[in-house]
Amino acid sequence: MSTKLRLIILSFLQFFIWGSWLITIGAYWFQTKQWSGAQFGAIFSTMGIASIFMPSLMGIVADKWFNAEKLYGLLHIMGGAVLCTVPLVTDPGMFFWVILLNMVFYMPTLALSIAVSYSVLKRQGLDVVKDYPPIRVWGTVGFIAAMWTVSGLGFEKSANQFYVAAAAAFALGLYSFTLPACPPPSKGTPSRSLVDALGLKSFALLRDTKMLTFFLFALLLGAALQLTNAYGDTFLHDFDKVPAYQDTFAVKYPAIIMSISQISETLFILAIPFFLRRFGIKQVMLFSMIAWVLRFGLLAFGTPDNPGIWLIILSCIVYGMAFDFFNISGSLFVETQTASSIRASAQGLFMMMTNGFGAVLGSSVSGIVIEKYFTNPVDQTKDWHSIWLTFAAYALVIAVLFVILFKHKHNPQEVEETAHEPLLSVEQA
């Protein structure tokens, strides 16, 4: 089996696990369990809480003490075991802790999957800018396949979605032990300071103004991502309460409609190398922020019937640019700016900002705001039009601030050298 095919399988299963429940957990929560919206915001903050410390911590372990591919496999096996217990939970408070434990195991695997893939590709003499996006696109395919599987089996409102995710987690965990060895690059190196001894060198990157600004915007964009993940599917399910919309395809199979977002990802991932070389990281990230404005703005006016359904579909299409042009390009940007000895830690730091602090900010604040300002206290119905417009305004403010504050001059050669020496070492930071 070729190296690329092996990494494709890794990427496919990595996101199949998440796609099995991430988009549909809202339907399970609101439609089946009928628990409160404020509590749901806390559930979605679990991935953020876990990402605040676990990706960086596991990145440190992979950098200094443990083979990345083995650590990756162990985390998936433990996460799969926790997923098997989710259907047994009947209390929303306990549900929070179980999901949090699962996220403690799953969230660091996102950064580790990148670190493992980059390590394997570079040892084969391949270019991560050119060769990684076509591999990563299969992660999106896996996410789509999971959503279609769960929706097609009628599990969108069922606890069975967690069993589907658990099966994929066990499969990936075992498969990881067959991957090429990715030994810790900093193992055995002498530590000259407390920071070195603890393996926290990647945090020194925050001393560089450009990197600090980049990570702050990663936090803010991470909040936007959680908004669409948390509420997109249940937004369509809510149309089931309107008789005129009950028989529409979008209401019957909302996960399939929302999966158009992931289909769009596959196209935009493949376009990343061209856009990075042509426009540079700052412009590509700005495109992402503008796409978030469109994503939320279009949903504000969308409905499950004609012509409103086309606004929802168009919103799903622009999601590909919104997500990929920051998250994938951002990971490549981090790769160019860090020394090889701390790259796993640096990717963990990036994940901490997007899926850690960003997720906590997005899920917690949005849950409170929606409950207080956009939810009818009598029948608990939500004003989705105003909700999506508020999110769009948030994304627009971020885009304007980004243009003003992020200082980075595009250098095409910088992208070409991603697979070689970094532009910024810890000492320079």
Side-chain angles (χ1 to χ4, degrees):
M1 188 183 298
S2 70
T3 297
K4 290 184 180 180
L5 179 56
R6 301 188 77 183
L7 294 179
I8 283 172
I9 294 173
L10 179 151
S11 188
F12 181 92
L13 290 174
Q14 172 71 46
F15 288 91
F16 187 98
I17 297 167
W18 218 7
S20 297
W21 66 268
L22 181 66
I23 305 301
T24 51
I25 190 175
Y28 176 70
W29 180 277
F30 288 109
Q31 312 295 326
T32 301
K33 292 297 186 179
Q34 297 184 345
W35 289 331
S36 79
Q39 289 174 306
F40 182 67
I43 292 300
F44 249 77
S45 73
T46 58
M47 66 187 69
I49 295 170
S51 294
I52 288 174
F53 63 94
M54 282 303 292
S56 291
L57 179 60
M58 292 299 100
I60 290 165
V61 173
D63 276 339
K64 296 185 69 68
W65 298 298
F66 208 76
N67 275 30
E69 83 285 354
K70 292 180 181 178
L71 178 62
Y72 180 73
L74 287 173
L75 288 169
H76 275 303
I77 291 172
M78 290 186 287
V82 175
L83 283 168
C84 287
T85 70
V86 174
L88 306 177
V89 179
T90 58
D91 175 70
M94 180 58 67
F95 196 92
F96 169 86
W97 292 108
V98 174
I99 292 295
L100 176 59
L101 181 59
N102 176 63
M103 290 291 94
V104 163
F105 294 131
Y106 182 82
M107 294 314 292
T109 66
L110 293 171
L112 283 172
S113 68
I114 295 173
V116 168
S117 296
Y118 284 0
S119 174
V120 172
L121 288 172
K122 288 181 178 182
R123 290 166 117 197
Q124 294 293 320
L126 300 172
D127 180 356
V128 295
V129 172
K130 183 177 99 174
D131 295 312
Y132 180 67
I135 291 171
R136 170 57 181 81
V137 77
W138 284 94
T140 304
V141 173
F143 200 98
I144 295 167
M147 291 176 68
W148 286 28
T149 298
V150 169
S151 187
L153 292 174
F155 293 166
E156 286 195 36
K157 301 178 184 179
S158 167
N160 289 335
Q161 60 188 277
F162 300 106
Y163 290 128
V164 174
F170 289 135
L172 179 54
L174 295 174
Y175 173 75
S176 300
F177 288 95
T178 71
L179 294 171
C182 302
S186 298
K187 184 176 182 179
T189 57
S191 296
R192 294 173 295 178
S193 67
L194 179 61
V195 170
D196 289 337
L198 294 175
L200 301 177
K201 293 195 295 183
S202 66
F203 288 89
L205 293 171
L206 299 180
R207 294 203 302 262
D208 178 73
T209 302
K210 182 171 67 175
M211 291 301 292
L212 175 61
T213 305
F214 169 78
F215 282 121
L216 287 176
F217 278 99
L219 182 155
L220 296 173
L221 267 256
L225 173 61
Q226 296 315 311
L227 299 178
T228 193
N229 283 341
Y231 301 106
D233 189 66
T234 194
F235 158 66
L236 290 177
H237 272 292
D238 265 3
F239 281 106
D240 189 43
K241 300 172 184 176
V242 182
Y245 297 136
Q246 288 176 350
D247 293 329
T248 59
F249 184 86
V251 172
K252 288 183 176 180
Y253 305 101
I256 292 179
I257 291 296
M258 297 307 291
S259 73
I260 297 172
S261 300
Q262 281 66 47
I263 295 172
S264 172
E265 273 192 61
T266 64
L267 301 177
F268 282 106
I269 285 175
L270 296 176
I272 285 175
F274 166 78
F275 277 89
L276 277 178
R277 291 184 173 98
R278 176 65 179 84
F279 298 102
I281 188 67
K282 180 173 182 176
Q283 292 298 323
V284 169
M285 286 163 44
L286 178 60
F287 293 158
S288 166
M289 296 170 190
I290 294 172
W292 277 118
V293 177
L294 294 174
R295 163 70 162 177
F296 297 135
L298 290 167
L299 284 177
F301 297 95
T303 57
D305 60 348
N306 283 316
I309 186 62
W310 294 106
L311 295 179
I312 294 176
I313 290 173
L314 185 57
S315 170
C316 291
I317 292 173
V318 300
Y319 171 87
M321 175 179 285
F323 179 83
D324 291 333
F325 275 31
F326 188 85
N327 287 269
I328 307 302
S329 299
S331 74
L332 291 170
F333 179 70
V334 170
E335 187 76 1
T336 68
Q337 304 298 304
T338 56
S340 60
S341 61
I342 61 159
R343 278 182 184 145
S345 302
Q347 293 292 351
L349 181 59
F350 176 57
M351 198 64 60
M352 176 199 294
M353 292 299 180
T354 54
N355 290 310
F357 291 114
V360 171
L361 175 69
S363 57
S364 301
V365 175
S366 66
I368 295 171
V369 170
I370 290 173
E371 188 76 15
K372 184 173 182 179
Y373 298 105
F374 303 115
T375 301
N376 188 313
V378 178
D379 58 9
Q380 293 299 302
T381 57
K382 295 175 176 57
D383 181 4
W384 287 111
H385 176 75
S386 298
I387 290 171
W388 293 127
L389 285 181
T390 301
F391 293 168
Y394 168 78
L396 181 60
V397 170
I398 293 175
V400 173
L401 291 175
F402 181 77
V403 172
I404 298 171
L405 298 177
F406 187 65
K407 308 297 183 183
H408 181 73
K409 186 176 181 180
H410 175 44
N411 178 8
Q413 186 179 1
E414 174 182 315
V415 180
E416 298 293 343
E417 293 175 348
T418 300
H420 304 290
E421 292 300 318
L423 298 178
L424 179 69
S425 67
V426 171
E427 288 73 19
Q428 290 170 317

